Amino acid sequence: MPLRTSTGAAYARIEGIGASLPSRVVDNTEMCTYIDSTDEWIQQRTGIRERRWVAEGETVESMSLDAAHKALAHAGLQPSDIDAVIVSTVTHLVQTPSLAAIVAAKLGAKGAAAFDISAACAGFCYGLAQAESLVRSGAAHHALVIGVESLSEITDLSDRSTAFLFSDGAGAAIVGPSDVPAMGPVVWGSDGDQADVIEMDRTWADAVASGKPSFITMQGQAVFRWATGFIADAAKRVLEVSGLSPEELDLFVPHQANNRITDSMLRHLKLPKTVKVARTIQSFGNNSAASIPIALDSMIASGEAKSGEQALVIGFGAGLVYAGQIVTIP
Ligand SMILES: CC(C)(COP(=O)(O)OP(=O)(O)OC[C@H]1O[C@@H](n2cnc3c(N)ncnc32)[C@H](O)[C@@H]1OP(=O)(O)O)[C@@H](O)C(=O)NCCC(=O)NCCS
């Protein structure tokens, strides 16, 4: 007897999206009580007016569960329908067990395969690529992908080169079978030669030994150059490998790193004015793996993104790593 192999759906699609934002609003005026800066400088350099931070009782776990419940409701599915849970986060601040296993159990996705991935701001798109493959291979029927961060916990509030940028939140998507193509091929990769461009300044062990917390550090101009050059090209490749022309695109939803990076990518891609562009960084800051699903959720809620429309999503960040694909709005 030849070995039997799994066979899955012909295509995969996003079936539902959900988001969870923490309750604490930190505007630029408050930010400027921590760092030497101004509202005008922060808005002009990044587009950020305010950001969200976790308040008492809000955690990566609670935000993940909230976003997951909303995504399930949007998809019209039950927790028991989920057979794989993928959580992308760099702020689940214990090494093991994974946040995904905890979320699967508390959500009621009993027995689902569960694992975390560390792909920073590209994490949601990495998760989508994996979920799409799981569904098409038959390894999973409905996969839950969560991007969640509590970056306020690893941000040095006295560091004027990062403090104003980072924020907290969660976004979730359910990926399941489809009769028609609804997720294009992923364009992804890494450049570990630039590992020091965004990194933690000490290991957890060093933090314990020195009594100093481990914080995120960033070489802002290096990130800016990489994002506006290499990543803008990668976004172009996403369109090419999917066989879409810029005119056929409805939405551009890049990682909400910085509005000036988004503007530069738009110039590079030469997208028509009709393409709707995510700008949720203005209100929510840069919440890494959570930023793309939060932007999708918010554009769906406002009516800006409509079911059946084609969105280009692309994440990029620490590693350095990146991933992007075309997804059809559920
Ligand atoms: C972080 C970032 C906004 C900083 O802007 P920048 O123009 O590179 O800033 P620089 O560090 O070169 O500093 C420029 C000037 O602003 C000043 N400055 C730096 N931080 C400041 C702050 N928080 N408030 C006010 N002024 C500040 C500097 O002192 C410098 O002043 P000078 O010209 O008088 O010497 C920009 O590099 C950036 O957006 N990079 C991409 C980061 C990103 O998107 N990261 C997310 C990746 S997932």
Side-chain angles (χ1 to χ4, degrees):
M1 276 270 287
L3 187 65
R4 225 179 265 158
T5 57
S6 60
T7 320
Y11 306 107
R13 68 183 179 99
I14 295 183
E15 301 174 290
I17 301 258
S20 179
L21 287 154
S23 55
R24 181 157 177 228
V25 179
V26 178
D27 63 14
N28 288 344
T29 307
E30 179 181 342
M31 179 51 59
C32 295
T33 64
Y34 308 123
I35 53 168
D36 176 17
S37 190
T38 61
D39 174 38
E40 190 193 3
W41 190 92
I42 297 171
Q43 285 206 44
Q44 194 258 323
R45 297 291 168 124
T46 68
I48 299 172
R49 285 202 286 260
E50 57 189 35
R51 75 270 306 132
R52 297 291 184 98
W53 286 356
V54 286
E56 187 75 29
E58 292 169 336
T59 63
V60 283
E61 183 187 309
S62 68
M63 293 188 288
S64 295
L65 286 167
D66 185 30
H69 280 297
K70 289 172 179 163
L72 280 168
H74 188 209
L77 293 170
Q78 298 301 317
S80 55
D81 294 320
I82 300 298
D83 48 16
V85 177
I86 303 169
V87 175
S88 177
T89 183
V90 295
T91 45
H92 173 51
L93 300 182
V94 295
Q95 222 58 41
T96 195
S98 69
L99 180 57
I102 295 165
V103 167
K106 294 205 171 167
L107 188 66
K110 207 170 154 34
F115 57 99
D116 290 357
I117 54 176
S118 174
C121 308
F124 179 73
C125 295
Y126 264 70
L128 281 185
Q130 292 179 46
E132 194 253 4
S133 298
L134 293 177
V135 168
R136 292 184 64 193
S137 74
H141 201 57
H142 298 283
L144 167 63
V145 180
I146 297 172
V148 59
E149 300 296 358
S150 183
L151 291 171
S152 61
E153 291 182 71
I154 59 164
T155 300
D156 180 355
L157 283 192
S158 65
D159 179 357
R160 76 201 287 254
S161 67
T162 56
F164 55 89
L165 203 57
F166 296 124
S167 61
D168 308 339
I174 316 286
V175 177
S178 172
D179 296 332
V180 293
M183 292 177 83
V186 67
V187 171
W188 60 351
S190 69
D191 180 5
D193 287 339
Q194 297 196 70
D196 61 345
V197 165
I198 310 172
E199 63 176 353
M200 301 299 289
D201 61 0
R202 67 195 74 222
T203 65
W204 299 127
D206 289 343
V208 171
S210 65
K212 290 186 189 143
S214 182
F215 287 131
I216 196 162
T217 64
M218 178 182 74
Q219 297 168 30
Q221 289 190 2
V223 180
F224 201 91
R225 276 194 303 274
W226 177 69
T228 53
F230 184 84
I231 297 301
D233 276 340
K236 219 176 220 176
R237 289 205 304 280
V238 171
L239 280 176
E240 284 161 14
V241 298
S242 305
L244 285 193
S245 69
E247 287 69 33
E248 288 170 293
L249 195 67
D250 301 298
L251 300 144
F252 180 52
V253 187
H255 165 49
Q256 299 293 285
N258 182 323
N259 254 346
R260 285 197 302 143
I261 291 177
T262 301
D263 289 338
S264 170
M265 285 175 140
L266 281 171
R267 285 194 295 274
H268 192 81
L269 286 167
K270 299 190 173 57
L271 296 180
K273 291 267 182 288
T274 48
V275 173
K276 293 160 278 187
V277 181
R279 298 282 185 186
T280 37
I281 192 169
Q282 289 169 1
S283 310
F284 305 140
N286 174 343
N287 40 32
S288 189
S291 88
I292 290 174
I294 288 174
L296 287 171
D297 179 78
S298 136
M299 293 173 94
I300 291 169
S302 69
E304 212 177 345
K306 296 184 181 57
S307 181
E309 289 188 332
Q310 308 287 21
L312 194 168
V313 293
I314 185 160
F316 48 92
L320 296 172
V321 292
Y322 67 96
Q325 56 268 90
I326 301 291
V327 296
T328 304
I329 299 294

